[in-house]
Amino acid sequence: MRDFESEDGIMQFGGVSVTDLANEFGTPVYVTDEQILRHNYRKVYDAFSKFMDTDIYYACKANTNLAILRILNQEGSCVDTVSIGEILTCLRAGFSPDKIMYTGVSVGTGELESVVKTGCKINIDSEMELEKLAEILGPKTRGFPLSIRITPGVVSGYDTKVMTGGKGSKFGIPMNRVLPVYIRAQELGFSLKGIHAHTGSGGNSIDPFLDAVEVLIDIANQLEEELGIKLEFLNFGGGLGVPYKLQEEEFNVENLASSISEMILEESSIRKVCLEPGRYIVCDSTIMLTKCNDIKDAGPKKYIGTDAGFNTLIRPTLYGAYHHVVLANKFNKACTAKYDVVGPICESGDCMAYDRALPDPQVGDIVAVYNAGAYGFSMSSVYNSRPRCREVLVNNGNAELIRDSETMEDIWKHQIIPERLLK
Ligand SMILES: *Cc1c(COP(=O)(O)O)cnc(C)c1O
Protein backbone atom coordinates (compact mmCIF):
# COMPACT_ATOMS: atom_id res chain seq x y z
CA MET A 1 0.00 0.00 0.00
CA ARG A 2 1.15 3.54 -0.69
CA ASP A 3 2.12 5.32 2.53
CA PHE A 4 3.12 8.92 3.10
CA GLU A 5 5.83 10.98 4.79
CA SER A 6 5.57 13.11 7.89
CA GLU A 7 7.22 16.28 9.11
CA ASP A 8 7.45 17.04 12.83
CA GLY A 9 4.99 14.22 13.43
CA ILE A 10 2.43 15.59 10.97
CA MET A 11 1.43 13.66 7.87
CA GLN A 12 2.30 15.37 4.58
CA PHE A 13 0.22 14.90 1.44
CA GLY A 14 1.19 16.32 -1.95
CA GLY A 15 3.69 18.58 -0.24
CA VAL A 16 1.11 20.03 2.15
CA SER A 17 0.70 19.41 5.85
CA VAL A 18 -2.52 17.50 6.45
CA THR A 19 -3.42 19.59 9.49
CA ASP A 20 -3.11 22.74 7.34
CA LEU A 21 -5.49 21.18 4.83
CA ALA A 22 -7.99 20.35 7.58
CA ASN A 23 -7.72 23.87 9.03
CA GLU A 24 -8.08 25.62 5.70
CA PHE A 25 -10.83 23.53 4.14
CA GLY A 26 -12.60 22.03 7.14
CA THR A 27 -13.54 18.40 7.66
CA PRO A 28 -14.60 16.01 6.40
CA VAL A 29 -12.76 16.64 3.16
CA TYR A 30 -11.43 14.53 0.28
CA VAL A 31 -7.94 15.51 -0.86
CA THR A 32 -6.41 14.29 -4.14
CA ASP A 33 -2.75 14.46 -5.10
CA GLU A 34 -2.53 15.40 -8.77
CA GLN A 35 0.91 13.85 -9.16
CA ILE A 36 -0.21 10.44 -7.90
CA LEU A 37 -3.24 10.54 -10.19
CA ARG A 38 -1.07 11.27 -13.23
CA HIS A 39 1.47 8.66 -12.13
CA ASN A 40 -1.20 5.95 -11.84
CA TYR A 41 -2.59 6.66 -15.29
CA ARG A 42 0.88 6.66 -16.86
CA LYS A 43 1.85 3.49 -15.07
CA VAL A 44 -0.97 1.46 -16.55
CA TYR A 45 -0.81 3.14 -19.98
CA ASP A 46 2.96 2.65 -20.26
CA ALA A 47 2.71 -0.98 -19.16
CA PHE A 48 0.36 -1.90 -22.01
CA SER A 49 1.37 0.52 -24.77
CA LYS A 50 4.87 -0.94 -24.67
CA PHE A 51 3.42 -4.07 -26.25
CA MET A 52 0.49 -2.95 -28.35
CA ASP A 53 -1.85 -0.15 -29.35
CA THR A 54 -3.67 0.71 -26.10
CA ASP A 55 -6.68 2.74 -25.02
CA ILE A 56 -7.25 3.24 -21.30
CA TYR A 57 -10.93 3.91 -20.59
CA TYR A 58 -10.92 5.32 -17.07
CA ALA A 59 -14.12 3.91 -15.47
CA CYS A 60 -15.33 7.22 -14.16
CA LYS A 61 -17.98 5.93 -11.76
CA ALA A 62 -15.09 5.57 -9.32
CA ASN A 63 -14.69 9.35 -9.18
CA THR A 64 -16.44 11.88 -11.43
CA ASN A 65 -15.01 15.12 -10.08
CA LEU A 66 -14.61 17.45 -13.08
CA ALA A 67 -11.06 18.50 -12.16
CA ILE A 68 -9.96 14.88 -11.83
CA LEU A 69 -11.57 14.03 -15.17
CA ARG A 70 -9.85 17.06 -16.69
CA ILE A 71 -6.44 15.87 -15.50
CA LEU A 72 -7.04 12.42 -17.00
CA ASN A 73 -8.24 14.06 -20.20
CA GLN A 74 -4.93 15.95 -20.33
CA GLU A 75 -3.11 12.66 -19.91
CA GLY A 76 -4.83 11.33 -23.04
CA SER A 77 -7.19 8.95 -21.25
CA CYS A 78 -10.52 7.77 -22.65
CA VAL A 79 -13.46 7.19 -20.27
CA ASP A 80 -15.90 4.38 -19.62
CA THR A 81 -19.33 5.59 -18.53
CA VAL A 82 -22.40 3.81 -17.22
CA SER A 83 -25.05 6.52 -17.52
CA ILE A 84 -26.01 9.54 -19.59
CA GLY A 85 -25.13 11.65 -16.55
CA GLU A 86 -21.57 10.37 -16.60
CA ILE A 87 -21.34 11.03 -20.35
CA LEU A 88 -22.50 14.64 -19.90
CA THR A 89 -20.03 15.08 -17.04
CA CYS A 90 -17.15 13.79 -19.17
CA LEU A 91 -18.14 16.04 -22.08
CA ARG A 92 -18.15 18.97 -19.68
CA ALA A 93 -14.67 18.00 -18.46
CA GLY A 94 -13.45 18.25 -22.04
CA PHE A 95 -13.55 14.70 -23.40
CA SER A 96 -14.52 14.46 -27.04
CA PRO A 97 -17.34 11.97 -27.76
CA ASP A 98 -15.01 9.57 -29.55
CA LYS A 99 -13.08 9.12 -26.29
CA ILE A 100 -16.19 8.17 -24.32
CA MET A 101 -17.55 4.63 -24.15
CA TYR A 102 -21.05 3.95 -22.82
CA THR A 103 -21.35 0.56 -21.12
CA GLY A 104 -24.87 0.48 -19.72
CA VAL A 105 -26.83 -2.24 -18.02
CA SER A 106 -30.62 -2.30 -17.83
CA VAL A 107 -30.66 0.43 -20.46
CA GLY A 108 -33.91 2.28 -21.18
CA THR A 109 -34.90 3.57 -24.62
CA GLY A 110 -34.94 7.20 -23.42
CA GLU A 111 -31.41 7.01 -22.09
CA LEU A 112 -30.16 5.22 -25.20
CA GLU A 113 -31.66 7.96 -27.40
CA SER A 114 -29.81 10.58 -25.37
CA VAL A 115 -26.59 8.57 -25.54
CA VAL A 116 -26.84 8.28 -29.33
CA LYS A 117 -27.27 12.07 -29.60
CA THR A 118 -23.98 12.66 -27.78
CA GLY A 119 -22.09 10.70 -30.43
CA CYS A 120 -20.12 8.61 -27.96
CA LYS A 121 -19.21 4.96 -28.47
CA ILE A 122 -21.53 2.19 -27.33
CA ASN A 123 -20.83 -1.18 -25.76
CA ILE A 124 -23.98 -3.33 -25.91
CA ASP A 125 -25.02 -5.29 -22.80
CA SER A 126 -28.10 -7.17 -24.02
CA GLU A 127 -29.95 -8.43 -27.08
CA MET A 128 -32.82 -6.04 -26.45
CA GLU A 129 -30.45 -3.12 -26.16
CA LEU A 130 -29.09 -4.08 -29.59
CA GLU A 131 -32.58 -4.04 -31.12
CA LYS A 132 -33.43 -0.73 -29.41
CA LEU A 133 -30.23 0.83 -30.66
CA ALA A 134 -30.90 -0.28 -34.26
CA GLU A 135 -34.41 1.15 -34.04
CA ILE A 136 -33.15 4.49 -32.70
CA LEU A 137 -30.41 4.72 -35.34
CA GLY A 138 -32.63 3.68 -38.26
CA PRO A 139 -30.64 4.03 -41.49
CA LYS A 140 -27.65 5.24 -39.47
CA THR A 141 -27.25 1.70 -38.12
CA ARG A 142 -25.20 0.92 -41.23
CA GLY A 143 -21.57 1.30 -40.28
CA PHE A 144 -22.28 2.36 -36.68
CA PRO A 145 -19.29 1.13 -34.64
CA LEU A 146 -20.21 -1.31 -31.93
CA SER A 147 -18.65 -3.47 -29.27
CA ILE A 148 -20.44 -6.16 -27.35
CA ARG A 149 -20.14 -7.09 -23.69
CA ILE A 150 -20.18 -10.79 -22.97
CA THR A 151 -20.49 -12.72 -19.71
CA PRO A 152 -17.21 -14.63 -19.73
CA GLY A 153 -18.05 -17.04 -16.92
CA VAL A 154 -15.06 -15.74 -14.98
CA VAL A 155 -15.29 -13.73 -11.76
CA SER A 156 -12.94 -11.59 -9.74
CA GLY A 157 -13.39 -9.09 -6.94
CA TYR A 158 -13.11 -8.48 -3.23
CA ASP A 159 -16.81 -8.86 -2.47
CA THR A 160 -19.71 -10.76 -4.08
CA LYS A 161 -21.46 -7.43 -4.58
CA VAL A 162 -18.82 -6.37 -7.11
CA MET A 163 -18.31 -9.65 -9.01
CA THR A 164 -19.80 -9.20 -12.44
CA GLY A 165 -18.48 -11.76 -14.90
CA GLY A 166 -19.75 -15.09 -13.55
CA LYS A 167 -22.15 -17.39 -15.40
CA GLY A 168 -25.70 -16.20 -14.80
CA SER A 169 -24.59 -12.61 -14.13
CA LYS A 170 -26.91 -9.70 -14.97
CA PHE A 171 -24.10 -8.18 -17.04
CA GLY A 172 -23.39 -8.95 -20.68
CA ILE A 173 -24.49 -11.50 -23.25
CA PRO A 174 -24.48 -15.09 -21.96
CA MET A 175 -21.89 -17.28 -23.69
CA ASN A 176 -24.43 -19.39 -25.60
CA ARG A 177 -25.91 -16.24 -27.17
CA VAL A 178 -22.71 -14.46 -28.14
CA LEU A 179 -22.40 -15.75 -31.72
CA PRO A 180 -26.12 -15.27 -32.51
CA VAL A 181 -25.85 -11.68 -31.23
CA TYR A 182 -22.84 -10.89 -33.42
CA ILE A 183 -24.68 -12.44 -36.39
CA ARG A 184 -27.76 -10.34 -35.64
CA ALA A 185 -25.69 -7.17 -35.23
CA GLN A 186 -24.05 -7.85 -38.58
CA GLU A 187 -27.44 -8.39 -40.23
CA LEU A 188 -28.61 -5.07 -38.81
CA GLY A 189 -25.64 -3.39 -40.49
CA PHE A 190 -23.49 -2.50 -37.47
CA SER A 191 -19.76 -2.27 -37.91
CA LEU A 192 -18.46 -4.72 -35.31
CA LYS A 193 -15.36 -3.31 -33.68
CA GLY A 194 -14.81 -5.01 -30.40
CA ILE A 195 -15.56 -7.52 -27.71
CA HIS A 196 -15.70 -6.73 -24.02
CA ALA A 197 -15.85 -8.48 -20.66
CA HIS A 198 -15.51 -7.15 -17.11
CA THR A 199 -15.10 -9.78 -14.44
CA GLY A 200 -15.38 -7.74 -11.24
CA SER A 201 -13.72 -5.13 -9.10
CA GLY A 202 -10.63 -5.09 -6.97
CA GLY A 203 -9.20 -8.52 -7.72
CA ASN A 204 -5.58 -8.96 -6.67
CA SER A 205 -4.77 -11.99 -8.79
CA ILE A 206 -4.04 -11.78 -12.51
CA ASP A 207 -5.49 -15.23 -13.23
CA PRO A 208 -9.12 -14.14 -13.74
CA PHE A 209 -7.91 -11.50 -16.23
CA LEU A 210 -6.02 -14.14 -18.19
CA ASP A 211 -9.00 -16.50 -18.10
CA ALA A 212 -11.34 -13.77 -19.35
CA VAL A 213 -8.93 -12.75 -22.11
CA GLU A 214 -8.69 -16.39 -23.18
CA VAL A 215 -12.48 -16.50 -23.54
CA LEU A 216 -12.47 -13.23 -25.50
CA ILE A 217 -9.74 -14.45 -27.84
CA ASP A 218 -11.60 -17.71 -28.49
CA ILE A 219 -14.72 -15.79 -29.48
CA ALA A 220 -12.80 -13.30 -31.61
CA ASN A 221 -11.15 -16.16 -33.48
CA GLN A 222 -14.48 -17.90 -33.97
CA LEU A 223 -16.02 -14.69 -35.29
CA GLU A 224 -13.19 -14.31 -37.76
CA GLU A 225 -13.08 -17.92 -38.93
CA GLU A 226 -16.79 -18.68 -39.04
CA LEU A 227 -18.37 -15.32 -39.84
CA GLY A 228 -15.57 -13.31 -41.38
CA ILE A 229 -15.94 -10.65 -38.68
CA LYS A 230 -12.55 -9.14 -37.94
CA LEU A 231 -12.59 -7.21 -34.67
CA GLU A 232 -10.28 -4.25 -34.04
CA PHE A 233 -10.01 -4.40 -30.28
CA LEU A 234 -10.37 -6.58 -27.27
CA ASN A 235 -11.50 -4.91 -24.02
CA PHE A 236 -10.94 -6.93 -20.88
CA GLY A 237 -12.62 -4.46 -18.51
CA GLY A 238 -11.39 -3.06 -15.26
CA GLY A 239 -11.04 -4.38 -11.76
CA LEU A 240 -7.28 -4.06 -11.21
CA GLY A 241 -6.90 -4.37 -7.46
CA VAL A 242 -5.37 -1.86 -5.11
CA PRO A 243 -3.77 -2.80 -1.78
CA TYR A 244 -5.78 -1.35 1.11
CA LYS A 245 -3.63 -2.83 3.87
CA LEU A 246 -0.19 -1.59 4.89
CA GLN A 247 1.77 -4.78 4.13
CA GLU A 248 -0.18 -5.73 1.01
CA GLU A 249 1.76 -5.71 -2.26
CA GLU A 250 0.87 -3.61 -5.24
CA PHE A 251 -0.97 -5.21 -8.14
CA ASN A 252 1.63 -6.15 -10.74
CA VAL A 253 0.43 -4.20 -13.78
CA GLU A 254 3.59 -4.86 -15.80
CA ASN A 255 3.12 -8.58 -15.38
CA LEU A 256 -0.55 -8.32 -16.34
CA ALA A 257 0.32 -6.26 -19.41
CA SER A 258 3.03 -8.58 -20.67
CA SER A 259 0.94 -11.73 -20.12
CA ILE A 260 -2.18 -10.34 -21.75
CA SER A 261 -0.37 -8.74 -24.67
CA GLU A 262 1.52 -11.93 -25.36
CA MET A 263 -1.73 -13.92 -25.41
CA ILE A 264 -3.46 -11.49 -27.75
CA LEU A 265 -0.51 -11.09 -30.10
CA GLU A 266 0.20 -14.80 -30.31
CA GLU A 267 -3.28 -16.25 -30.36
CA SER A 268 -5.34 -13.73 -32.33
CA SER A 269 -5.13 -11.20 -35.14
CA ILE A 270 -6.34 -8.39 -32.86
CA ARG A 271 -3.76 -5.62 -32.49
CA LYS A 272 -5.42 -3.27 -30.03
CA VAL A 273 -6.20 -3.74 -26.35
CA CYS A 274 -8.57 -1.65 -24.23
CA LEU A 275 -9.02 -1.72 -20.48
CA GLU A 276 -11.17 0.19 -18.04
CA PRO A 277 -9.48 0.61 -14.69
CA GLY A 278 -11.42 2.81 -12.31
CA ARG A 279 -10.14 2.08 -8.83
CA TYR A 280 -6.52 1.63 -9.91
CA ILE A 281 -6.31 5.15 -11.34
CA VAL A 282 -7.86 7.15 -8.51
CA CYS A 283 -7.87 5.06 -5.33
CA ASP A 284 -4.56 5.85 -3.65
CA SER A 285 -4.41 9.37 -5.12
CA THR A 286 -6.87 10.51 -2.47
CA ILE A 287 -7.21 10.59 1.31
CA MET A 288 -10.24 11.63 3.32
CA LEU A 289 -9.64 13.78 6.40
CA THR A 290 -12.03 13.75 9.29
CA LYS A 291 -11.85 15.31 12.74
CA CYS A 292 -12.08 13.53 16.06
CA ASN A 293 -15.21 14.86 17.81
CA ASP A 294 -15.55 12.45 20.67
CA ILE A 295 -13.68 9.72 22.51
CA LYS A 296 -15.56 7.06 24.42
CA ASP A 297 -14.53 4.13 26.60
CA ALA A 298 -17.51 1.79 26.48
CA GLY A 299 -16.07 -1.00 28.60
CA PRO A 300 -15.07 -3.74 26.20
CA LYS A 301 -14.74 -1.20 23.39
CA LYS A 302 -13.11 2.15 22.86
CA TYR A 303 -14.41 4.55 20.23
CA ILE A 304 -13.10 7.50 18.30
CA GLY A 305 -16.10 9.44 17.03
CA THR A 306 -15.36 11.47 13.90
CA ASP A 307 -17.28 13.91 11.73
CA ALA A 308 -17.35 11.50 8.74
CA GLY A 309 -19.89 8.71 8.62
CA PHE A 310 -21.12 6.42 5.89
CA ASN A 311 -22.74 9.47 4.35
CA THR A 312 -19.14 10.52 3.55
CA LEU A 313 -17.52 7.12 2.86
CA ILE A 314 -19.83 4.13 2.61
CA ARG A 315 -17.43 1.39 1.53
CA PRO A 316 -16.76 -0.05 5.01
CA THR A 317 -20.49 -0.24 5.74
CA LEU A 318 -21.56 -1.42 2.29
CA TYR A 319 -18.84 -3.96 1.50
CA GLY A 320 -17.09 -4.46 4.82
CA ALA A 321 -14.18 -2.75 3.06
CA TYR A 322 -10.93 -2.06 4.89
CA HIS A 323 -9.43 1.44 4.86
CA HIS A 324 -6.17 2.20 6.61
CA VAL A 325 -6.56 5.04 9.14
CA VAL A 326 -4.00 7.10 11.05
CA LEU A 327 -4.04 10.04 13.43
CA ALA A 328 -2.44 12.43 10.97
CA ASN A 329 -1.17 14.86 13.61
CA LYS A 330 0.40 12.03 15.65
CA PHE A 331 1.90 10.22 12.68
CA ASN A 332 4.83 8.51 14.36
CA LYS A 333 3.47 8.28 17.89
CA ALA A 334 3.28 4.87 19.51
CA CYS A 335 -0.09 3.11 19.45
CA THR A 336 -1.48 2.63 22.94
CA ALA A 337 -4.88 0.99 22.51
CA LYS A 338 -7.38 -0.30 19.97
CA TYR A 339 -10.32 1.79 18.81
CA ASP A 340 -13.29 1.58 16.49
CA VAL A 341 -13.43 4.70 14.36
CA VAL A 342 -17.09 5.60 14.05
CA GLY A 343 -19.17 8.41 12.54
CA PRO A 344 -22.14 10.61 13.41
CA ILE A 345 -24.79 8.54 11.61
CA CYS A 346 -27.49 6.98 13.78
CA GLU A 347 -26.89 3.38 12.74
CA SER A 348 -24.57 0.89 14.42
CA GLY A 349 -23.16 -0.04 10.99
CA ASP A 350 -21.65 3.43 10.79
CA CYS A 351 -18.09 2.34 11.45
CA MET A 352 -15.12 3.32 9.30
CA ALA A 353 -12.57 1.03 10.93
CA TYR A 354 -12.74 -1.72 13.56
CA ASP A 355 -10.18 -2.50 16.26
CA ARG A 356 -7.35 -0.27 15.09
CA ALA A 357 -4.29 0.29 17.21
CA LEU A 358 -3.81 4.07 17.44
CA PRO A 359 -1.96 6.61 19.58
CA ASP A 360 -3.80 8.32 22.45
CA PRO A 361 -6.56 10.30 20.74
CA GLN A 362 -7.76 13.78 21.67
CA VAL A 363 -10.72 15.79 20.48
CA GLY A 364 -9.55 17.81 17.46
CA ASP A 365 -7.12 15.19 16.16
CA ILE A 366 -7.23 14.64 12.41
CA VAL A 367 -7.92 11.12 11.20
CA ALA A 368 -6.62 10.42 7.68
CA VAL A 369 -8.46 7.66 5.82
CA TYR A 370 -6.31 6.17 3.05
CA ASN A 371 -7.31 4.97 -0.41
CA ALA A 372 -10.43 7.10 -0.52
CA GLY A 373 -10.29 8.17 -4.18
CA ALA A 374 -12.33 5.35 -5.68
CA TYR A 375 -16.00 4.96 -4.80
CA GLY A 376 -15.52 7.45 -1.97
CA PHE A 377 -17.05 10.81 -2.78
CA SER A 378 -18.93 9.33 -5.74
CA MET A 379 -20.93 7.10 -3.38
CA SER A 380 -21.46 9.72 -0.70
CA SER A 381 -24.92 10.92 0.25
CA VAL A 382 -26.78 13.48 2.32
CA TYR A 383 -28.18 10.86 4.70
CA ASN A 384 -28.99 12.34 8.12
CA SER A 385 -29.25 15.72 6.35
CA ARG A 386 -25.52 16.25 6.24
CA PRO A 387 -24.54 18.17 3.09
CA ARG A 388 -21.81 16.55 0.99
CA CYS A 389 -18.28 17.66 1.80
CA ARG A 390 -15.53 19.49 -0.05
CA GLU A 391 -12.93 18.10 -2.42
CA VAL A 392 -9.44 19.56 -2.68
CA LEU A 393 -6.61 19.05 -5.16
CA VAL A 394 -3.01 19.27 -4.01
CA ASN A 395 -0.08 19.58 -6.37
CA ASN A 396 3.53 20.02 -5.26
CA GLY A 397 2.71 22.04 -2.18
CA ASN A 398 -0.35 23.94 -3.50
CA ALA A 399 -3.93 23.23 -2.50
CA GLU A 400 -7.01 24.17 -4.55
CA LEU A 401 -10.69 23.67 -3.94
CA ILE A 402 -12.22 21.43 -6.63
CA ARG A 403 -15.67 21.07 -5.08
CA ASP A 404 -17.27 23.26 -2.49
CA SER A 405 -19.38 21.76 0.26
CA GLU A 406 -23.11 21.58 -0.28
CA THR A 407 -25.40 23.65 1.92
CA MET A 408 -28.73 22.99 3.57
CA GLU A 409 -30.29 24.97 0.70
CA ASP A 410 -28.98 22.29 -1.69
CA ILE A 411 -30.70 19.62 0.37
CA TRP A 412 -34.02 21.51 0.38
CA LYS A 413 -33.79 22.85 -3.17
CA HIS A 414 -35.91 20.26 -4.96
CA GLN A 415 -38.38 19.50 -2.19
CA ILE A 416 -41.89 20.87 -2.24
CA ILE A 417 -44.42 21.35 0.52
CA PRO A 418 -47.80 21.37 -1.26
CA GLU A 419 -49.49 24.75 -0.97
CA ARG A 420 -52.52 23.28 0.85
CA LEU A 421 -50.29 22.11 3.70
CA LEU A 422 -49.07 25.64 4.30
CA LYS A 423 -52.52 27.00 5.20
C1 LIG B 1 -17.01 -0.45 -12.56
C2 LIG B 1 -16.51 -0.87 -13.87
C3 LIG B 1 -15.16 -0.84 -14.16
C4 LIG B 1 -14.11 -0.40 -13.18
O1 LIG B 1 -13.93 -1.24 -12.12
P1 LIG B 1 -12.69 -0.94 -11.13
O2 LIG B 1 -12.73 -2.04 -10.17
O3 LIG B 1 -12.95 0.37 -10.50
O4 LIG B 1 -11.46 -0.91 -11.96
C5 LIG B 1 -14.76 -1.19 -15.43
N1 LIG B 1 -15.65 -1.59 -16.37
C6 LIG B 1 -16.96 -1.64 -16.13
C7 LIG B 1 -17.88 -2.04 -17.20
C8 LIG B 1 -17.44 -1.28 -14.88
O5 LIG B 1 -18.75 -1.33 -14.65
Side-chain angles (χ1 to χ4, degrees):
M1 191 195 76
R2 182 190 295 279
D3 203 358
F4 302 97
E5 306 282 293
S6 68
E7 233 177 81
D8 301 327
I10 296 173
M11 180 181 176
Q12 306 291 304
F13 188 72
V16 189
S17 147
V18 158
T19 46
D20 288 351
L21 288 167
N23 287 335
E24 184 176 352
F25 297 101
T27 55
V29 62
Y30 281 90
V31 188
T32 298
D33 183 341
E34 179 171 336
Q35 293 306 317
I36 299 177
L37 185 64
R38 290 184 186 275
H39 167 86
N40 287 348
Y41 174 81
R42 286 173 199 174
K43 186 152 186 199
V44 62
Y45 179 77
D46 292 348
F48 282 89
S49 61
K50 193 160 74 181
F51 297 102
M52 56 196 296
D53 191 9
T54 302
D55 275 345
I56 307 289
Y57 284 83
Y58 163 60
C60 75
K61 69 179 187 288
N63 189 327
T64 43
N65 181 284
L66 289 168
I68 286 170
L69 289 171
R70 183 73 195 163
I71 291 165
L72 293 171
N73 178 248
Q74 285 183 346
E75 288 292 327
S77 184
C78 303
V79 273
D80 186 68
T81 61
V82 295
S83 72
I84 180 68
E86 285 188 354
I87 292 173
L88 296 175
T89 300
C90 290
L91 288 171
R92 189 176 177 102
F95 286 92
S96 60
D98 63 305
K99 291 212 150 191
I100 304 174
M101 179 74 81
Y102 173 74
T103 305
V105 63
S106 192
V107 178
T109 306
E111 172 145 322
L112 201 51
E113 279 167 359
S114 308
V115 170
V116 166
K117 279 190 196 128
T118 66
C120 75
K121 295 177 180 169
I122 297 178
N123 190 22
I124 283 291
D125 176 76
S126 82
E127 299 191 42
M128 286 187 188
E129 189 184 346
L130 178 70
E131 298 297 330
K132 282 180 208 164
L133 180 61
E135 211 172 301
I136 292 165
L137 289 168
K140 288 192 194 135
T141 304
R142 185 142 302 281
F144 189 91
L146 200 70
S147 75
I148 293 178
R149 178 177 194 169
I150 67 148
T151 319
V154 178
V155 291
S156 65
Y158 65 89
D159 188 277
T160 51
K161 291 191 187 89
V162 297
M163 294 175 178
T164 52
K167 190 164 188 254
S169 161
K170 78 163 179 174
F171 300 96
I173 310 281
M175 285 297 279
N176 62 339
R177 295 296 303 161
V178 171
L179 284 195
V181 170
Y182 271 96
I183 293 170
R184 176 65 181 150
Q186 198 179 33
E187 269 171 25
L188 287 165
F190 285 103
S191 170
L192 293 160
K193 298 289 187 195
I195 183 158
H196 168 259
H198 171 66
T199 58
S201 190
N204 281 318
S205 154
I206 75 164
D207 294 342
F209 291 100
L210 304 187
D211 292 346
V213 168
E214 197 65 65
V215 171
L216 292 171
I217 288 174
D218 281 349
I219 296 170
N221 288 342
Q222 232 180 322
L223 291 173
E224 188 168 350
E225 285 154 22
E226 294 174 22
L227 306 171
I229 298 172
K230 206 167 159 358
L231 298 179
E232 275 173 20
F233 67 85
L234 181 156
N235 181 342
F236 67 89
L240 285 63
V242 168
Y244 282 83
K245 292 189 175 158
L246 214 46
Q247 301 80 5
E248 253 177 298
E249 300 253 334
E250 243 193 78
F251 188 89
N252 194 331
V253 187
E254 282 81 12
N255 191 7
L256 180 76
S258 66
S259 307
I260 283 185
S261 307
E262 191 181 309
M263 279 169 72
I264 298 174
L265 293 171
E266 280 185 7
E267 300 170 25
S268 79
S269 62
I270 291 178
R271 289 296 170 264
K272 177 169 193 163
V273 67
C274 301
L275 62 158
E276 313 156 335
R279 186 184 313 276
Y280 187 87
I281 306 282
V282 284
C283 188
D284 69 0
S285 73
T286 304
I287 55 175
M288 192 267 284
L289 304 178
T290 176
K291 192 175 283 172
C292 172
N293 278 342
D294 199 26
I295 295 145
K296 200 175 276 185
D297 189 339
K301 279 246 173 231
K302 291 181 168 53
Y303 292 99
I304 296 178
T306 69
D307 59 10
F310 74 69
N311 55 319
T312 311
L313 179 66
I314 201 173
R315 297 189 66 258
T317 303
L318 189 60
Y319 308 123
Y322 183 99
H323 282 267
H324 184 63
V325 298
V326 297
L327 296 188
N329 54 318
K330 297 176 175 170
F331 201 71
N332 303 313
K333 282 237 168 89
C335 299
T336 51
K338 284 189 172 175
Y339 298 86
D340 282 8
V341 181
V342 298
I345 299 295
C346 295
E347 297 195 22
S348 52
D350 184 31
C351 184
M352 190 85 66
Y354 291 95
D355 275 329
R356 300 297 174 81
L358 292 166
D360 272 346
Q362 281 163 302
V363 168
D365 282 349
I366 300 300
V367 178
V369 181
Y370 284 46
N371 289 310
Y375 310 100
F377 188 94
S378 69
M379 290 184 118
S380 67
S381 74
V382 296
Y383 186 46
N384 278 202
S385 292
R386 295 188 180 277
R388 267 178 285 244
C389 71
R390 284 179 160 164
E391 291 179 288
V392 170
L393 185 69
V394 291
N395 187 29
N396 295 325
N398 292 315
E400 294 161 294
L401 194 62
I402 55 171
R403 182 195 299 265
D404 209 349
S405 48
E406 291 177 357
T407 64
M408 285 312 296
E409 285 300 330
D410 294 317
I411 291 182
W412 299 325
K413 193 154 66 188
H414 300 291
Q415 302 185 53
I416 296 155
I417 304 176
E419 198 62 38
R420 66 183 176 81
L421 297 178
L422 294 170
K423 289 188 181 125

